[in-house]
């Protein structure tokens, strides 16, 4: 092996040129080992590199006739076959230390074509060549780290842009984020990603888990709530250790931490928006309640006079038929208006409430008793399934009957051309359950979100005020209970009211005004 200074300069130039190109780890080592084996005339060269925080990668090149074969070897196999690196000495394969600072450290092992091929001056040349390789490796690693950091920051910037859109749902946000995550990987063209969060999975195109899949937890408010996954859909060189360098593993962890933080902030921002909206809604309801009570009081007196005089006038037996019909319409309209006033007063919290121990089954029968005569006319079948051991609740009997009447009337009006209404009562622990199910038209999710809003109604004019369910909700909450609505368009609706059982002392029949 005779190398001139000119040849060494040419080798140095080619090695440093390889370092300046955007090559992968395996491509860089293939280029370097190929240059070295051509320059030195060795039969084989092995490179072992241990990057900070990573296991040793062993790459080799050897001559096979007129061609070169590149391959990777497991470090344990290499040490078992070749032993530990030793100091370079004449007449044997030469182990030359490789030091590249942040890029890692290791060795280059040169195998001569024939025994006793390496002399002292040749080993000195190899040491000079390895120093050039060390410098080139550090240069390549610095440029590679910068490129990967730019990709990572671009990925994080994209995530931030997506999460800054307040009008999007979390499902839309995560679906968009998972599409840009592969761009943060070393092999972006071969990579894919997946996010598991909130019981749902979001995947980018072509995602399939493999032994090369890398994962990092998504942690929100100190609790693991999801998983971020990166993988390469195609096989890469073994030297591109999955998941490549320790820097890439750290990059994934940084992206997972940033994603966790961004999701947490997004959830907090959404929660704050919901709280602000609830506060505005509560303020509106409070003002509306005060206004409703004031208006109701102003209307109540003249309305009572109109109703009273119309009822007195209608009792005159000598009234013309047309006048009697008109008076009947006045009375009916006044009764409807009085019902609206009564609901307004109740919504405004101005109706006195008197509590007592109430038999739920009896109250249900009384509540639906006003409407049972309409069932046969409307071809509605009523099914009652009352439990005998539901017990009593402590409530205002009139209000409980009103809850039943409003829910029952809604069920009847939801059935257009015949159907079934099923009412059940049951005991569940310390609660009494009452459910009313109909086979009517049902409701869409958008309608369900609005049914408890005062004055919201889907009924035709003069068939509803939009106050029925809001009053029902107010009454049920005032009794310490809860209400649940399940509905599906074209199938029907089920409303379940859950009320606490009265304590034993409530069964003595005493009653008192609630303050």
């Amino acid at each position: 092996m005779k190398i001139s200074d000119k040849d060494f300069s040419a080798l140095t130039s080619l090695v440093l040129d390889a370092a300046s190109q955007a090559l992968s780890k395996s491509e860089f080592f293939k280029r370097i080992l190929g240059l070295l084996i051509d320059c030195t005339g060795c039969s084989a060269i092995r490179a072992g590199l241990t990057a900070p925080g990573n296991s040793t990668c062993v790459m080799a090149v050897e001559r096979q006739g007129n061609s070169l074969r590149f391959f990777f070897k497991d470090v344990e196999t290499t040490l078992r076959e070749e032993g530990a690196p030793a100091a370079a000495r004449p007449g044997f394969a030469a182990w030359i230390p490789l030091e590249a600072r942040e890029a890692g450290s290791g060795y280059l092992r040169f195998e001569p074509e024939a025994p006793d091929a390496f002399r002292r001056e040749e080993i000195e040349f190899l040491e000079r060549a390895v120093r050039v390789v060390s410098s080139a490796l550090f240069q390549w690693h610095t440029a590679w780290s910068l490129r990967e950091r730019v990709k990572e920051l671009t990925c994080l910037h994209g995530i931030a842009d997506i999460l800054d859109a307040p009008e999007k749902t979390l499902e839309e946000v995560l679906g968009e984020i998972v599409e840009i995550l592969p761009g943060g990987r070393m092999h972006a063209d071969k990579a894919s990603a997946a996010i598991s969060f909130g019981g749902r999975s979001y995947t980018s195109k072509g995602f399939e888990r493999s032994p090369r899949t890398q994962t990092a937890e998504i942690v929100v408010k100190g609790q693991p709530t999801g998983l971020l996954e990166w993988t390469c859909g195609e096989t890469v060189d073994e030297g591109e250790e999955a998941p490549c360098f320790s820097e890439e593993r750290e990059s994934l962890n940084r992206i997972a931490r940033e994603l966790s933080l961004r999701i947490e902030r997004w959830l907090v921002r959404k929660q704050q928006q919901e709280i602000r909206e609830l506060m505005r809604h509560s303020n509106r309801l409070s003002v509306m309640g005060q206004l409703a009570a004031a208006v109701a009081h102003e209307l109540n007196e003249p309305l009572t006079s109109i109703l009273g005089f119309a009822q007195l006038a209608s009792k005159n037996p000598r009234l013309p038929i047309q006048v009697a019909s008109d008076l009947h319409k006045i009375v009916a309209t006044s009764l409807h208006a009085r019902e609206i006033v009564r609901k307004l007063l109740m919504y405004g919290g101005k109706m006195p409430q008197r509590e007592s121990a109430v038999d739920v089954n009896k109250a249900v029968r009384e509540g639906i008793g006003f409407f049972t005569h309409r069932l046969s006319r409307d071809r509605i079948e009523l099914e009652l399934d009352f439990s005998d051991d539901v017990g009593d609740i402590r409530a205002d009997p009139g209000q409980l009957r009103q809850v039943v009447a409003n829910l029952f009337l809604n069920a009847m009006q939801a059935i257009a051309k015949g159907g079934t209404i099923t009412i059940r009562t049951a005991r569940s622990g310390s609660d009494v359950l009452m459910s009313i199910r109909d086979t009517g038209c049902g409701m869409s999710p958008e309608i369900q979100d609005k049914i408890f809003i005062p004055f919201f109604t889907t009924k035709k004019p003069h068939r509803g005020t939009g106050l029925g369910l809001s009053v029902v909700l107010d009454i049920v909450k005032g009794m310490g209970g809860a209400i649940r609505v399940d509905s599906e368009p074209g199938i029907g609706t089920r409303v379940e009211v859950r009320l606490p059982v009265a304590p034993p002392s409530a069964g003595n029949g005493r009653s008192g005004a609630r303050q």
Side-chain angles (χ1 to χ4, degrees), residues 33-44:
L33 294 182
L35 291 171
L36 290 175
I37 202 170
D38 286 340
C39 180
T40 61
C42 291
S43 63

Side-chain angles (χ1 to χ4, degrees), residues 181-196:
L181 284 175
R185 276 209 65 155
M186 178 185 297
H187 300 283
D189 57 329
K190 302 176 182 178
S192 56
I195 297 176
S196 302

Side-chain angles (χ1 to χ4, degrees), residues 424-502:
R424 289 190 173 91
T425 61
R427 181 74 173 267
S428 176
S430 59
D431 292 329
V432 173
L433 303 182
M434 178 195 69
S435 65
I436 298 181
R437 181 193 296 271
D438 66 68
T439 57
C441 57
M443 296 179 288
S444 66
E446 293 76 18
I447 297 297
Q448 288 187 60
D449 291 339
K450 301 176 182 178
I451 57 175
F452 294 112
I453 298 176
F455 303 107
F456 173 81
T457 181
T458 58
K459 299 175 184 176
K460 296 179 180 179
H462 307 298
R463 292 200 66 187
T465 63
L467 281 172
L469 285 177
S470 64
V471 170
V472 165
L473 179 63
D474 189 57
I475 292 173
V476 171
K477 285 187 174 180
M479 294 177 181
I483 185 169
R484 174 181 173 179
V485 179
D486 296 305
S487 186
E488 187 174 346
I491 302 298
T493 301
R494 179 180 181 273
V495 181
E496 179 185 272
V497 176
R498 180 183 292 265
L499 297 169
V501 176

Side-chain angles (χ1 to χ4, degrees), residues 41-79:
C42 291
S43 63
I45 301 176
R46 282 163 172 71
L49 179 67
T50 301
N54 204 350
S55 59
T56 300
C57 165
V58 178
M59 184 174 183
V61 59
E62 62 182 26
R63 294 186 185 277
Q64 286 190 341
N66 295 324
S67 61
L68 299 176
R69 184 173 76 96
F70 295 90
F71 59 94
F72 293 87
K73 299 187 67 175
D74 178 76
V75 65
E76 287 79 9
T77 303
T78 301
L79 293 176

Side-chain angles (χ1 to χ4, degrees), residues 29 32-33 36 44-51 55-60 72-88 93-100 103-111 126 129-131 133-134 137:
F29 270 100
I32 297 301
L33 294 182
L36 290 175
I45 301 176
R46 282 163 172 71
L49 179 67
T50 301
S55 59
T56 300
C57 165
V58 178
M59 184 174 183
F72 293 87
K73 299 187 67 175
D74 178 76
V75 65
E76 287 79 9
T77 303
T78 301
L79 293 176
R80 185 171 59 252
E81 293 176 352
E82 304 171 358
W95 297 79
I96 311 296
L98 179 68
E99 295 290 344
S105 60
Y107 64 89
L108 283 174
R109 182 178 188 271
F110 298 87
E111 299 180 7
L126 295 178
V130 171
R131 284 196 293 270
V133 171
S134 298
L137 177 59

Side-chain angles (χ1 to χ4, degrees), residues 118-292:
F118 288 139
R119 299 185 300 275
R120 176 61 61 183
E121 60 271 18
E122 292 174 335
I123 291 177
E124 290 176 355
F125 166 78
L126 295 178
E127 290 173 343
R128 290 173 60 200
V130 171
R131 284 196 293 270
V132 172
V133 171
S134 298
S135 178
L137 177 59
F138 174 74
Q139 178 182 332
W140 169 86
H141 182 269
T142 301
W144 174 86
S145 298
L146 180 59
R147 290 194 301 272
E148 296 306 306
R149 184 59 175 160
V150 169
K151 288 197 293 184
E152 178 187 331
L153 292 176
T154 302
C155 179
L156 291 175
H157 185 267
I159 291 173
D161 282 345
I162 293 171
L163 286 168
D164 283 341
E167 71 280 359
K168 295 179 180 177
T169 65
L170 185 59
E171 289 75 15
E172 293 172 330
V173 165
L174 295 178
E176 293 182 22
I177 288 175
V178 77
E179 293 295 338
I180 67 172
L181 284 175
R185 276 209 65 155
M186 178 185 297
H187 300 283
D189 57 329
K190 302 176 182 178
S192 56
I195 297 176
S196 302
F197 189 85
R200 297 189 61 180
S201 294
Y202 310 84
T203 59
S204 64
K205 184 179 179 180
F207 177 81
E208 289 185 10
R209 291 180 179 86
S210 71
R212 293 182 176 273
T213 300
Q214 183 182 6
T215 64
E217 285 187 336
I218 298 174
V219 180
V220 177
K221 295 182 179 179
Q223 297 295 324
T225 55
L227 194 67
L228 175 61
E229 298 176 85
W230 264 352
T231 190
C232 284
E234 300 179 20
T235 302
V236 296
D237 291 327
E238 295 178 26
E240 303 294 348
E241 176 202 2
C244 305
F245 289 114
S246 60
E247 288 91 339
E248 184 165 85
R249 285 197 288 271
E250 293 171 2
S251 174
L252 177 62
N253 291 333
R254 284 194 296 268
I255 290 177
R257 287 194 296 269
E258 186 67 21
L259 180 60
S260 300
L261 181 60
R262 291 281 182 172
I263 290 177
E264 186 170 333
R265 289 177 180 173
W266 189 91
L267 292 173
V268 169
R269 188 167 62 245
K270 283 291 184 182
Q271 188 178 35
Q272 289 173 343
Q273 291 175 350
E274 292 173 359
I275 291 173
R276 283 194 293 268
E277 183 59 32
L278 285 174
M279 290 177 65
R280 286 194 292 266
H281 184 63
S282 177
N283 290 334
R284 288 197 297 267
L285 292 183
S286 176
V287 173
M288 192 182 299
Q290 296 174 15
L291 179 63

